[in-house]
Amino acid sequence: MAGGTARLRVPVGEDADRWITRTGCRRVLFVVHNVTSATRLLDVLPLFHSDVRVQMFATCTGSSPFLAGVPELLARAGLPVLPWEQAKDTEFDLVVSASYGGELGALRGKLTVLSHGTGYNKRLAAPDSPVSRTTEPPVFGLAPDWLLEDGRPLATATVLSHPEQLDRLRSACPEAAPTAVLAGDPCYDRILAALPQRDRFRRALGVGPGQRLIVVSSTWASRSLFGGGRAGGADEPGADERGAEEPGAADLLPWLLSRLAAELPADEYRTAAVLHPNIWYGHGPGQVQAWLDSARRAGLEAIPPLDGWRQALIAADCVLGDHSSVTYYAASIGVPVVLGAFPQEDLDPRSPVAALGRTAPRLLRRGSLRAQIDRAIDAHHPDRYKALAEQTSSSPGESAVLLRRLFYDLMGIPEPEAHPALLDPLPLPPYTPTRVTAPVRVLVRQLSADPPELAVTRYAVVGDAPDPDPARDPAAPVGTADTAHTAADEETRETGRLSVADVVVRRAAGDDARLGPPAAWASEALDRYPYCGLVAYVDGPDRCVVRTREGDLVRLSAAADPDGRPDLCDPAVYASALHAWLTDGHTLDAALPAITVRTGTAAHHVTVEPLPQPPPTPPPAGSHASDSASSTRSRSAPIRSPFSS
């Protein structure tokens, strides 16, 4: 990445003056080390927008071990990309970097260094300054190993977001203190500006009323949550009271991913993962997706490393995290956090992130995951981390103004008067409803026969995990379920489950020429899966078409929320509720015109509308389909709890 690329001829180069259109522009170079640092540079890119006096460039130092993804990111930014050697040979008016490392001192221009996280918190030895086993590494970004070259400050301006960082800088490297500039945190400001959009972000992630969004957040390295690091050192003061695991405890990650599916009902909790870009690009996106495969099939949404993680934090009800900036940002905006890993020895003990580790609750393997999450949410006060939030930025909402003023002062030109300093707002992510392709065990309890009302609790069953016991359903009103059955997505990987599933579900648009119309697919599906009792074609966020084994064709549609927006509960829940109603001995007529389906605390009012029967489709020539398949009754039968009357 650093070398081997052809030198640019336009808009800089030996004969660039022959080819460029706008001459005399100030040159601004963005220095990319890896995808992580580049995300902060993308935050501040808009501060130069609309100014025809400025020409922007990008380059990559090639010094980071995490270079994957950088070419694609630079192409997305659309700036001229200089090979590193050419960048060192070119004069710039301003150089902006969001990390140290590489030959920054060789660049010809006024260097400004931003933090690419919530300030400087982690200990990390410089590549050319090995640390002995008896010496703690310096704090990245605040120590001479990173800040000085030949005893002089490397940067013209060292941007800090809070005076507490300046205090630590003066203590660790007084020579660099004169370069410090307090200019806020643009990433945090974008989060703060988007807080009023929380409900929209939640709906974009498919989170409806009564549901809780749980975000798993991890930084990189072996002692992170994703790396399997322990929850914290048992020798820390008060560690036992906070629930820290013993040093050397088993890898927490497999337990956590399995319990998310096993303990959290699929319709009451939405789960998402926000992982550090160094995880994605250090191990490869395909490998990370493979590691998360079972959890993703159980409904976990893996948030891409560049887009959407801030929106997920804003939308979250709880973050299961570690010593990452993401976890700290979550605490700063009032989200409950539970720490699954927190190596205090890797942090500056004076940093706000280290303070979070001394106060936030810890995740325990020996307890119920759901109970720990619910306790963290229910006992949380929004101001719990207020003091820490105040240390995120001393100028919340003002970083755009402060940073642009700094940049233009260094370039020696006035700011554009006609264009205010603004950051890009966080975009609304695309709608990504929960999709569970693992088989689902459905526990149903009848709450009322007239009018029909049923409580449904669904759990994804992954791998060899045991099916939930209907006699111990924690979500049921009295801890029991009347019936249990299995539902399977037609696109499940566990294809063997389709042959024994009680309910088979297909998700597609109603006019999908490959599958639809829904009635046609339903007829074919009943023939294909002779032992299922009901099939459902989900053709919208709040509706589906079902066909029973008896041949009834019905449209199930959820009433809109009070604000008129569609109910975001998975329509497959309504199909399972109707299946349980019918197999418990009730008639379809008794379910007309509507049933109430409860998932946790949410009530969904579902219209049951019989549809006209389409004309029968003649079998293909040469077909020997047996009539017995269409007359086979569902194998699903009520499962009576020994504790029910």
Side-chain angles (χ1 to χ4, degrees):
M1 185 67 210
T5 305
R7 296 172 70 93
L8 295 187
R9 294 178 61 189
V10 182
V12 293
E14 293 181 359
D15 57 349
D17 290 343
R18 293 181 57 193
W19 311 110
I20 60 175
T21 299
R22 289 200 61 82
T23 61
C25 290
R26 292 295 199 274
R27 296 174 179 174
V28 177
L29 177 68
F30 291 96
V31 181
V32 173
H33 292 75
N34 49 40
V35 169
T36 308
S37 66
T39 56
R40 180 54 51 93
L41 298 179
L42 294 176
D43 283 339
V44 302
L45 205 65
L47 299 182
F48 300 96
H49 285 180
S50 301
D51 193 342
V52 297
R53 302 169 298 166
V54 174
Q55 168 70 61
M56 295 182 286
F57 301 84
T59 191
C60 179
T61 64
S63 60
S64 172
F66 303 101
L67 292 178
V70 171
E72 294 81 2
L73 185 144
L74 293 178
R76 170 178 162 180
L79 300 180
V81 179
L82 292 172
W84 180 245
E85 294 302 319
Q86 186 178 6
K88 292 192 295 182
D89 294 341
T90 305
E91 293 278 357
F92 296 96
D93 297 282
L94 178 65
V95 177
V96 183
S97 175
S99 187
Y100 291 92
E103 303 173 88
L104 293 181
L107 294 172
R108 301 159 66 181
K110 295 178 180 178
L111 175 64
T112 298
V113 179
L114 313 175
S115 164
H116 59 259
T118 55
Y120 297 101
N121 309 288
K122 295 182 181 179
R123 297 185 182 277
L124 182 66
D128 55 352
S129 302
V131 177
S132 70
R133 295 183 179 179
T134 60
T135 305
E136 289 184 331
V139 177
F140 176 74
L142 294 181
D145 292 22
W146 297 100
L147 298 174
L148 304 182
E149 186 171 83
D150 298 328
R152 292 178 296 180
L154 185 65
T156 304
T158 303
V159 176
L160 306 175
S161 61
H162 193 277
E164 71 83 18
Q165 297 163 24
L166 179 56
D167 292 340
R168 290 189 286 130
L169 174 63
R170 286 172 174 154
S171 175
C173 186
E175 300 91 337
T179 70
V181 179
L182 292 172
D185 182 334
C187 177
Y188 186 53
D189 283 354
R190 294 182 72 192
I191 292 173
L192 293 179
L195 289 178
Q197 304 268 7
R198 183 174 190 266
D199 288 344
R200 293 181 180 178
F201 294 159
R202 288 174 66 83
R203 292 187 67 83
L205 285 166
V207 182
Q211 288 185 305
R212 286 176 163 177
L213 173 62
I214 312 304
V215 174
V216 178
S217 165
S218 178
T219 188
W220 67 285
S222 61
R223 286 198 284 253
S224 68
L225 176 56
F226 200 82
R230 65 180 189 268
D235 56 346
E236 298 169 16
D240 291 339
E241 288 77 8
R242 292 196 313 276
E245 301 284 356
E246 292 296 325
D251 188 350
L252 180 70
L253 185 65
W255 174 86
L256 174 59
L257 294 179
S258 67
R259 300 320 297 168
L260 288 173
E263 291 193 37
L264 304 186
D267 304 301
E268 298 169 48
Y269 296 83
R270 177 76 158 111
T271 58
V274 172
L275 305 179
H276 195 285
N278 287 358
I279 297 176
W280 284 99
Y281 294 110
H283 293 280
Q287 179 61 73
V288 174
Q289 298 278 20
W291 281 331
L292 294 175
D293 181 68
S294 293
R296 291 174 60 229
R297 288 188 287 117
L300 178 79
E301 181 70 22
I303 305 296
L306 291 179
D307 302 308
W309 68 266
R310 284 171 280 212
Q311 294 90 324
L313 284 193
I314 293 170
D317 292 288
C318 183
V319 169
L320 308 179
D322 56 14
H323 56 302
S324 69
S325 291
V326 172
T327 305
Y328 189 85
Y329 279 133
S332 296
I333 60 174
V335 177
V337 299
V338 180
L339 302 176
F342 209 91
Q344 288 280 4
E345 63 271 28
D346 291 353
L347 298 169
D348 182 348
R350 298 173 57 192
S351 69
V353 172
L356 175 64
R358 293 189 290 268
T359 57
R362 302 298 175 93
L363 189 62
L364 300 176
R365 292 180 187 82
R366 58 180 177 268
S368 161
L369 175 63
R370 181 179 182 181
Q372 292 179 71
I373 290 172
D374 289 347
R375 183 165 56 247
I377 296 173
D378 296 338
H380 183 73
H381 189 280
D383 291 335
R384 174 170 185 169
Y385 303 114
K386 182 179 180 181
L388 297 179
E390 291 173 349
Q391 293 185 306
T392 307
S393 172
S394 58
S395 305
E398 300 178 17
S399 65
V401 171
L402 296 173
L403 285 171
R404 193 175 80 164
R405 182 182 304 160
L406 170 65
F407 293 154
Y408 276 80
D409 283 348
L410 292 175
M411 286 192 294
I413 59 174
E415 298 180 60
E417 295 181 358
H419 307 292
L422 299 171
L423 302 173
D424 281 343
L426 295 182
L428 183 64
Y431 175 55
T432 53
T434 303
R435 176 74 185 276
V436 178
T437 60
V440 176
R441 194 62 173 162
V442 186
L443 310 180
V444 184
R445 180 171 180 80
Q446 180 178 301
L447 303 179
S448 169
D450 187 19
E453 183 173 356
L454 303 100
V456 179
T457 309
R458 303 190 307 159
Y459 295 91
V461 180
V462 180
D464 296 329
D467 287 352
D469 182 356
R472 293 186 298 163
D473 175 16
V478 292
T480 63
D482 295 328
T483 65
H485 66 265
T486 297
D489 191 296
E490 197 178 32
E491 293 186 282
T492 184
R493 180 179 296 178
E494 292 90 339
T495 54
R497 291 268 193 157
L498 287 170
S499 62
V500 296
D502 302 291
V503 175
V504 175
V505 179
R506 164 60 74 170
R507 302 172 193 276
D511 60 355
D512 189 324
R514 302 166 302 166
L515 301 165
W521 172 87
S523 295
E524 295 170 357
L526 284 175
D527 288 340
R528 187 175 298 115
Y529 312 113
Y531 295 112
C532 76
L534 179 147
V535 294
Y537 189 109
V538 177
D539 59 348
D542 56 354
R543 62 186 185 273
C544 63
V545 172
V546 304
R547 185 183 285 277
T548 68
R549 179 59 64 185
E550 289 73 18
D552 296 302
L553 190 67
V554 179
R555 161 73 73 182
L556 303 179
S557 305
D561 290 344
D563 57 9
R565 294 188 171 96
D567 189 319
L568 295 184
C569 181
D570 183 359
V573 174
Y574 314 143
S576 277
L578 182 62
H579 171 76
W581 173 262
L582 297 175
T583 57
D584 202 28
H586 300 289
T587 65
L588 178 63
D589 288 344
L592 302 178
I595 60 175
T596 298
V597 181
R598 291 191 175 273
T599 56
T601 61
H604 313 279
H605 303 289
V606 182
T607 299
V608 182
E609 176 190 4
L611 298 177
Q613 297 287 344
T617 302
S623 171
H624 299 285
S626 171
D627 292 337
S628 63
S630 62
S631 62
T632 303
R633 297 288 297 182
S634 168
R635 299 198 319 166
S636 173
I639 300 178
R640 294 293 181 183
S641 164
F643 302 103
S644 63
S645 58

